[in-house]
Amino acid sequence: MTALPRVLVAAPASGHGKTTIAVGIMAALARRGLTVAPAKVGPDYIDPGYHALATGRPSRTLDPWLVGEGRVASLLARGATHPTLADVAVLEGVMGLMDGRLGGDGFASSAHVATLTRTPVVLVVDISSTSRTVAATVHGLATIDPELDVVGVVLNKAGTPRHGQEARRAVEAVGVPVWGVLPRDAAMHVPSRHLGLVPAAERGEAAATLDHIAAVAEEHLDLDALLAASRTAPDLDLEPWAPAAALPSLQSPLPEERALHSSRREVVVAVAGGRAFTFRYPETVELLEAAGARVVELDPARDAALPEGTSGLYLGGGFPEVHARTLATNRPLVHQIRTAIAAGMPTIAECAGMLYLAETLDDHPMVGALPARAAMGRRLTLGYREATSLVDSVLGPAGTRVAGHEFHRTVTDPPFGTSAAWDLGGRTEGFALDPAGTGRATLVASYLHTHWAGSPSVAGSFVEAARGWGHDAPRPAQPLSRTTPARSTSLADPLRHHGDAEVSSELVDLAVNVRLTQPPGWLAQALAEELSTVAAYPDPTRARDAIAARHGVARDQVLPTSGGAETFTLLARALTPRDAVVVHPQFTEPEAALRAAGHEVRHVLLRPEDDFALTTQALGQIGDADLVVVGNPTNPTGVLHPAATLRSLVRPGRVVLVDEAFIDSVPGERETLLGGDLTGLLVVRSLTKTWAVAGIRAGYVVGDAELVAALAEHQPHWSVGSLALRVMIETATPAALVEADRAAEEIAGWRAHLMRGLHTLGIPTAGGDAPFVLARVGTGVREALRDAGWAVRRGDTFPGLDTAWVRIAVRDPHTIDGLLRELTHLHHRRTA
């Protein structure tokens, strides 16, 4: 008998906000000090990740199709009692309340699970497009099945308080209490991609989003009423599911058999994890451990080798297609896994795991243990499957039956092996290979996801196969070095060397600072519309007005340019400086333009021991210069100079040009010089990095009207095309500025992740306010990184730096983890 207060959060359909509200309830109750047991109806891996983040406990998947009707309640009880006794359970439903397996009359629906577990239901209903009519929906769901106990409703996405009150009165009139009305709130949104929500493990800001959702739940929901309703749930009259009892070989009460089992040697099973492999039911590990294995998590993006003594490998689901480059560059592990599988190491690969073991994934080289190539497809494959194994394998004898599901947008070529893994009742699926000639398939790879609580014998069979394979996996061998030359092999003019010369299609690009791989959809659509107008000559008037309004300046203080870099050429043509100073290290194009125009340039070098700051000593070295060029934040140092320090450079007879090409990556654009007095100042902006339009060349200069007019006199007619002007208009809107600031906050989190990793390795860094990090990695490391598949920007072409310095573009944490992995390898090799 298990006493368990509980509620199930359901909805009329997908998209009403079930996940957000359920996670908010979990997090808010956990904030109260309650121990919350989370659970999810239906085959899902992503939502449970947010459940675990909210509660600190694994979420149990309750699916009658996958585990059988008789195990659903006992799995719920397992989650409520393991690892400790919970105060309350919150279950999240699937799709609409009554929606389950197609053709199954609601089998495996939220309603089905609610009746199997006798759990009260709270409905979440989106009222954004309705008001009083919502009462009919609620009344129907509350009365359609007498076995269901609908105890309350949460109304979501109210446009105004009046709108919410109208819907509340209507619902309460049909006898169902309303426990809260939530307003529309964009910050509660969790981003999605091709298979649903982005997993919590991949979102650096997930914890902050969760805090906000919890705060909204506490403010708008009647949590006391919800807890009171949860306590009306009857006790669960059953024993919690136990993995040891579920394994047939471990059910014998004979002490000699238990002693024999415990005396066998330890079996190490590596289970894929990390950001690329987040799909795994907790019962998988529990059953492996109950069968006698020691389970060690393996991160294929970061770990250089299989865990010591590995004799079995489980590769579950996830998103290797998103992180293919990072996975592919971990060559020591890739080589070791391929060798171990060829030697017959028992291996199970489900969906993402199969893609990882393929020859290629979207043309990126993968492990190559499977004779197949994988790529993103056009359609989603989704559904329950009843599968029968076609051959003897490490999962059991031919004829072993399992229930599973498919959920993917990728395809493989060929679609299945000569020896297929499964008969799905009409078609075959997967690969069952015996590369070492053992007489049974030691590698089973397919798109089929299985919940081992529904077929626990496969766990026991797999562990026994691993026990029989041998004590040690093959040691990692050093793969052949591969050097990818830079596109430009000559450094005759270091001032003209830029990050794009460092990259190639074979390398992970951390040398170029463009934030996205393509423009946002709204910007791409605007550019497509603009193509219909390109027969006419471009007119910059609207762009100048948009930029002027964005910065609160006059039109004559704005000049659109062909990328930010055109300003430097115009400056060199328009001015005849007597003493031109460029503050280095910084972007070299201004100096190159000045020298090309015949001007002498003097350097003021900022020092690494001062963190490349504009110290009093450095300011003194500027002297009586009549032209000063400085970056903010500076490329490549990432240093953000105080605006007051930069303004102190302004004086009569001097022009100060501040390159703010990267300041839109600084949250709030703090320390910008735009918005104040611009006398004697020119401020350069670039739009290509944040909005991924480097090929369009969109930038502008804002400043002293006389200086801007002087630059304009030297600008060729129509140097800025229609597409670039449209970029300036679209990215100056309030919505675009909000998106840019949100991106800046995200980049700040990713940069902090990179800098923490570098500092852990003892690598000095500079600055900390740009979409890149300057790091002193040591001479020869850049070349070694290229050999390992990584491109970073060389530092020695910047005056004041040498070959020990590199500039690293900030990327998502998973990509950065791959870089840190390579730097760790290099560090170990140098110190060995």
Coordinates of all heavy atoms in Angstrom, one line a residue, residues 541-597:
T541 N 17.4 56.4 -48.0 CA 16.7 57.3 -47.2 C 16.0 56.6 -46.0 O 16.1 57.0 -44.9 CB 15.7 58.1 -48.0 OG1 16.3 58.8 -49.1 CG2 14.9 59.1 -47.1
R542 N 15.2 55.6 -46.4 CA 14.4 54.9 -45.3 C 15.4 54.2 -44.3 O 15.1 54.2 -43.1 CB 13.5 53.8 -45.9 CG 12.3 54.3 -46.6 CD 11.4 53.2 -47.2 NE 11.0 52.3 -46.0 CZ 10.9 51.0 -46.1 NH1 11.2 50.4 -47.3 NH2 10.4 50.3 -45.1
A543 N 16.5 53.7 -44.8 CA 17.4 53.1 -43.8 C 18.1 54.1 -42.9 O 18.2 53.9 -41.7 CB 18.5 52.3 -44.6
R544 N 18.4 55.3 -43.5 CA 19.0 56.3 -42.6 C 18.0 56.8 -41.5 O 18.3 57.0 -40.4 CB 19.4 57.5 -43.5 CG 20.5 57.3 -44.4 CD 20.9 58.5 -45.2 NE 21.7 59.4 -44.3 CZ 22.3 60.6 -44.8 NH1 22.1 60.9 -46.1 NH2 22.9 61.4 -44.0
D545 N 16.7 56.9 -41.9 CA 15.7 57.3 -41.0 C 15.5 56.2 -39.9 O 15.3 56.5 -38.7 CB 14.4 57.5 -41.7 CG 14.4 58.8 -42.5 OD1 15.3 59.6 -42.3 OD2 13.5 59.0 -43.4
A546 N 15.5 55.0 -40.3 CA 15.3 53.9 -39.3 C 16.5 53.8 -38.3 O 16.2 53.7 -37.1 CB 15.2 52.5 -40.1
I547 N 17.7 54.0 -38.8 CA 18.8 54.0 -37.9 C 18.8 55.2 -37.0 O 19.1 55.1 -35.8 CB 20.1 53.9 -38.8 CG1 20.2 52.6 -39.5 CG2 21.4 54.1 -37.9 CD1 21.3 52.6 -40.6
A548 N 18.5 56.4 -37.6 CA 18.4 57.6 -36.8 C 17.4 57.5 -35.7 O 17.6 57.8 -34.5 CB 18.1 58.8 -37.7
A549 N 16.2 56.9 -36.0 CA 15.2 56.7 -35.0 C 15.6 55.7 -33.9 O 15.4 55.9 -32.7 CB 13.9 56.2 -35.6
R550 N 16.3 54.7 -34.4 CA 16.8 53.6 -33.4 C 17.8 54.2 -32.4 O 17.8 53.8 -31.2 CB 17.4 52.5 -34.2 CG 17.9 51.3 -33.4 CD 19.5 51.2 -33.6 NE 20.0 49.9 -33.2 CZ 20.4 49.6 -32.0 NH1 20.2 50.4 -31.0 NH2 20.9 48.4 -31.7
H551 N 18.6 55.1 -32.8 CA 19.6 55.7 -31.9 C 19.3 57.1 -31.4 O 20.1 57.6 -30.6 CB 21.0 55.7 -32.6 CG 21.5 54.3 -32.9 ND1 21.9 53.5 -31.9 CD2 21.8 53.7 -34.1 CE1 22.3 52.3 -32.5 NE2 22.3 52.5 -33.8
G552 N 18.2 57.6 -31.8 CA 17.8 58.9 -31.3 C 18.7 60.0 -31.8 O 19.0 61.0 -31.0
V553 N 19.1 60.0 -33.1 CA 20.0 61.0 -33.7 C 19.3 61.6 -34.9 O 18.3 61.1 -35.4 CB 21.4 60.4 -34.0 CG1 22.1 59.9 -32.8 CG2 21.3 59.3 -35.1
A554 N 19.9 62.6 -35.5 CA 19.4 63.2 -36.7 C 19.8 62.4 -37.9 O 20.9 61.7 -37.9 CB 19.9 64.6 -36.8
R555 N 19.1 62.5 -39.0 CA 19.4 61.8 -40.2 C 20.8 62.1 -40.7 O 21.5 61.2 -41.2 CB 18.4 62.1 -41.3 CG 18.7 61.3 -42.6 CD 17.9 61.9 -43.8 NE 16.5 61.6 -43.7 CZ 15.6 62.0 -44.7 NH1 16.0 62.7 -45.7 NH2 14.3 61.7 -44.5
D556 N 21.2 63.4 -40.6 CA 22.5 63.8 -41.2 C 23.7 63.3 -40.3 O 24.8 63.5 -40.7 CB 22.6 65.3 -41.4 CG 22.5 66.1 -40.1 OD1 22.3 65.5 -39.0 OD2 22.6 67.3 -40.2
Q557 N 23.4 62.6 -39.2 CA 24.4 62.0 -38.4 C 24.6 60.5 -38.7 O 25.4 59.8 -38.1 CB 24.1 62.1 -36.9 CG 24.1 63.6 -36.4 CD 23.8 63.7 -35.0 OE1 22.7 63.5 -34.6 NE2 24.8 64.0 -34.1
V558 N 23.9 60.0 -39.8 CA 23.9 58.6 -40.1 C 24.3 58.4 -41.5 O 23.9 59.1 -42.4 CB 22.5 58.0 -39.9 CG1 22.4 56.5 -40.4 CG2 22.0 58.1 -38.5
L559 N 25.2 57.4 -41.8 CA 25.6 57.0 -43.1 C 25.6 55.5 -43.2 O 26.4 54.8 -42.6 CB 27.0 57.6 -43.5 CG 27.5 57.3 -44.9 CD1 26.6 57.9 -45.9 CD2 29.0 57.7 -45.0
P560 N 24.7 54.9 -44.0 CA 24.7 53.5 -44.3 C 26.0 53.2 -45.1 O 26.4 53.9 -46.0 CB 23.5 53.2 -45.1 CG 22.5 54.3 -44.8 CD 23.4 55.5 -44.6
T561 N 26.6 52.0 -44.8 CA 27.9 51.6 -45.4 C 27.8 50.2 -45.9 O 27.0 49.4 -45.4 CB 29.1 51.9 -44.5 OG1 28.9 51.1 -43.3 CG2 29.3 53.3 -44.2
S562 N 28.7 49.8 -46.7 CA 28.8 48.5 -47.2 C 29.6 47.7 -46.2 O 30.8 47.5 -46.3 CB 29.5 48.4 -48.6 OG 29.6 47.1 -49.0
G563 N 28.9 47.2 -45.1 CA 29.5 46.6 -44.0 C 30.2 47.7 -43.2 O 30.5 48.8 -43.7
G564 N 30.5 47.4 -41.9 CA 31.2 48.4 -41.1 C 32.6 48.8 -41.6 O 33.0 49.9 -41.5
A565 N 33.2 47.8 -42.4 CA 34.6 48.0 -42.8 C 34.7 49.2 -43.9 O 35.7 49.8 -44.0 CB 35.1 46.7 -43.4
E566 N 33.6 49.5 -44.6 CA 33.7 50.5 -45.6 C 34.0 51.9 -45.0 O 34.7 52.7 -45.6 CB 32.4 50.7 -46.4 CG 32.6 51.6 -47.6 CD 31.3 52.0 -48.3 OE1 30.2 51.7 -47.7 OE2 31.3 52.5 -49.5
T567 N 33.5 52.1 -43.7 CA 33.8 53.3 -43.0 C 35.3 53.6 -43.0 O 35.7 54.7 -43.1 CB 33.2 53.3 -41.6 OG1 31.8 53.1 -41.7 CG2 33.5 54.5 -40.8
F568 N 36.1 52.5 -42.7 CA 37.5 52.7 -42.6 C 38.2 53.3 -43.9 O 39.1 54.1 -43.8 CB 38.2 51.5 -42.1 CG 37.5 50.8 -40.9 CD1 37.3 49.5 -40.9 CD2 37.1 51.6 -39.9 CE1 36.6 48.9 -39.8 CE2 36.5 51.0 -38.8 CZ 36.2 49.6 -38.8
T569 N 37.7 52.8 -45.0 CA 38.2 53.2 -46.3 C 37.8 54.7 -46.5 O 38.6 55.5 -47.0 CB 37.7 52.4 -47.4 OG1 38.2 51.0 -47.2 CG2 38.2 52.9 -48.8
L570 N 36.5 55.0 -46.2 CA 36.0 56.4 -46.3 C 36.8 57.3 -45.4 O 37.1 58.5 -45.8 CB 34.5 56.4 -46.0 CG 33.6 55.6 -46.9 CD1 32.2 55.7 -46.5 CD2 33.8 56.0 -48.4
L571 N 37.1 56.9 -44.2 CA 37.9 57.7 -43.3 C 39.2 58.0 -43.8 O 39.7 59.2 -43.8 CB 38.0 57.0 -42.0 CG 38.7 57.7 -40.8 CD1 37.8 58.7 -40.2 CD2 39.2 56.7 -39.8
A572 N 39.9 57.0 -44.4 CA 41.3 57.2 -44.9 C 41.3 58.1 -46.1 O 42.3 58.9 -46.3 CB 41.8 55.8 -45.3
R573 N 40.1 58.2 -46.9 CA 40.1 59.0 -48.0 C 39.7 60.5 -47.6 O 40.2 61.4 -48.3 CB 39.0 58.5 -49.0 CG 39.4 57.2 -49.7 CD 38.2 56.7 -50.5 NE 38.5 55.5 -51.2 CZ 37.6 54.7 -51.9 NH1 36.3 55.2 -51.9 NH2 37.9 53.6 -52.5
A574 N 38.9 60.6 -46.6 CA 38.3 61.9 -46.3 C 39.3 62.7 -45.4 O 39.2 64.0 -45.4 CB 37.0 61.7 -45.6
L575 N 40.1 62.1 -44.6 CA 40.9 62.8 -43.6 C 42.4 62.8 -44.1 O 42.8 61.9 -44.8 CB 40.8 62.2 -42.2 CG 39.4 62.2 -41.6 CD1 39.5 61.6 -40.2 CD2 38.7 63.5 -41.7
T576 N 43.1 63.8 -43.6 CA 44.6 63.8 -43.8 C 45.2 63.9 -42.4 O 45.8 65.0 -42.0 CB 45.0 64.9 -44.7 OG1 44.5 66.2 -44.2 CG2 44.5 64.7 -46.1
P577 N 45.2 62.9 -41.6 CA 45.7 63.0 -40.2 C 47.2 63.2 -40.2 O 48.0 62.7 -41.0 CB 45.3 61.6 -39.6 CG 45.3 60.7 -40.8 CD 44.7 61.5 -41.9
R578 N 47.6 64.1 -39.3 CA 49.0 64.4 -39.0 C 49.6 63.3 -38.2 O 50.8 62.8 -38.4 CB 49.1 65.7 -38.3 CG 50.5 66.0 -37.7 CD 50.5 67.4 -37.0 NE 49.3 67.5 -36.2 CZ 49.2 67.0 -34.9 NH1 50.2 66.3 -34.4 NH2 48.1 67.2 -34.2
D579 N 48.9 62.8 -37.2 CA 49.3 61.7 -36.2 C 48.2 60.8 -36.0 O 47.3 61.1 -35.1 CB 49.8 62.4 -34.9 CG 50.4 61.4 -33.9 OD1 50.6 60.2 -34.3 OD2 50.5 61.7 -32.8
A580 N 48.1 59.7 -36.7 CA 47.0 58.7 -36.6 C 47.5 57.6 -35.7 O 48.5 57.0 -35.9 CB 46.7 58.1 -38.0
V581 N 46.7 57.4 -34.6 CA 46.9 56.3 -33.7 C 45.9 55.2 -33.8 O 44.7 55.5 -33.8 CB 47.0 56.9 -32.2 CG1 46.9 55.8 -31.2 CG2 48.3 57.7 -32.0
V582 N 46.3 54.0 -33.8 CA 45.4 52.9 -33.7 C 45.7 52.1 -32.5 O 46.9 51.8 -32.3 CB 45.5 51.9 -34.9 CG1 44.6 50.7 -34.7 CG2 45.1 52.7 -36.2
V583 N 44.8 52.0 -31.6 CA 45.0 51.3 -30.3 C 44.9 49.8 -30.5 O 43.8 49.3 -30.9 CB 43.9 51.8 -29.3 CG1 44.2 51.0 -27.9 CG2 44.0 53.3 -29.1
H584 N 46.0 49.1 -30.3 CA 46.0 47.6 -30.6 C 46.2 46.9 -29.3 O 46.6 47.5 -28.3 CB 47.2 47.4 -31.5 CG 46.9 47.6 -33.0 ND1 46.0 46.8 -33.7 CD2 47.4 48.5 -33.9 CE1 46.0 47.3 -34.9 NE2 46.8 48.3 -35.1
P585 N 46.0 45.6 -29.3 CA 45.4 44.8 -30.4 C 44.0 45.1 -30.7 O 43.2 45.3 -29.8 CB 45.5 43.3 -29.9 CG 46.4 43.4 -28.6 CD 46.2 44.8 -28.1
Q586 N 43.7 45.2 -32.0 CA 42.3 45.4 -32.4 C 42.2 45.0 -33.9 O 43.1 44.7 -34.5 CB 41.9 46.9 -32.2 CG 42.3 47.9 -33.2 CD 41.2 48.9 -33.5 OE1 40.4 49.2 -32.7 NE2 41.2 49.3 -34.8
F587 N 40.9 45.1 -34.4 CA 40.6 44.8 -35.8 C 41.6 45.6 -36.7 O 41.8 46.8 -36.5 CB 39.2 45.2 -36.1 CG 38.7 44.8 -37.4 CD1 38.9 43.5 -37.9 CD2 38.0 45.7 -38.2 CE1 38.4 43.2 -39.2 CE2 37.5 45.4 -39.4 CZ 37.7 44.1 -39.9
T588 N 42.2 44.9 -37.6 CA 43.3 45.5 -38.3 C 42.9 46.2 -39.6 O 43.7 46.9 -40.2 CB 44.3 44.4 -38.8 OG1 43.6 43.3 -39.5 CG2 45.0 43.7 -37.6
E589 N 41.6 46.1 -40.0 CA 41.2 46.8 -41.2 C 41.3 48.3 -41.2 O 41.7 48.9 -42.2 CB 39.8 46.3 -41.5 CG 39.4 46.5 -43.0 CD 40.2 45.7 -44.0 OE1 40.6 44.5 -43.6 OE2 40.5 46.2 -45.0
P590 N 41.1 49.0 -40.1 CA 41.3 50.4 -40.1 C 42.7 50.8 -40.4 O 43.0 51.7 -41.2 CB 40.9 50.8 -38.6 CG 40.0 49.8 -38.2 CD 40.5 48.5 -38.8
E591 N 43.7 50.1 -39.8 CA 45.1 50.5 -40.1 C 45.4 50.1 -41.5 O 46.1 50.9 -42.2 CB 46.0 49.7 -39.1 CG 47.5 50.0 -39.4 CD 48.4 49.4 -38.4 OE1 48.0 49.0 -37.3 OE2 49.7 49.4 -38.7
A592 N 44.9 49.0 -42.0 CA 45.2 48.6 -43.4 C 44.7 49.7 -44.4 O 45.4 50.1 -45.3 CB 44.6 47.3 -43.7
A593 N 43.5 50.2 -44.1 CA 42.9 51.2 -45.0 C 43.7 52.5 -44.9 O 43.9 53.2 -45.9 CB 41.4 51.5 -44.5
L594 N 44.1 52.9 -43.7 CA 44.9 54.1 -43.6 C 46.2 54.0 -44.3 O 46.7 55.0 -45.0 CB 45.1 54.5 -42.1 CG 43.9 55.0 -41.3 CD1 44.1 54.9 -39.8 CD2 43.5 56.4 -41.8
R595 N 46.9 52.9 -44.1 CA 48.2 52.7 -44.8 C 48.0 52.7 -46.3 O 48.9 53.2 -47.1 CB 48.9 51.5 -44.3 CG 49.3 51.6 -42.8 CD 50.2 50.4 -42.4 NE 50.7 50.5 -41.0 CZ 51.6 51.3 -40.6 NH1 52.3 52.0 -41.5 NH2 52.0 51.3 -39.3
A596 N 46.9 52.0 -46.8 CA 46.7 51.9 -48.2 C 46.5 53.3 -48.8 O 46.8 53.6 -50.0 CB 45.5 51.1 -48.5
A597 N 46.0 54.3 -48.0 CA 45.8 55.6 -48.5 C 47.0 56.5 -48.3 O 47.0 57.7 -48.6 CB 44.6 56.3 -47.8

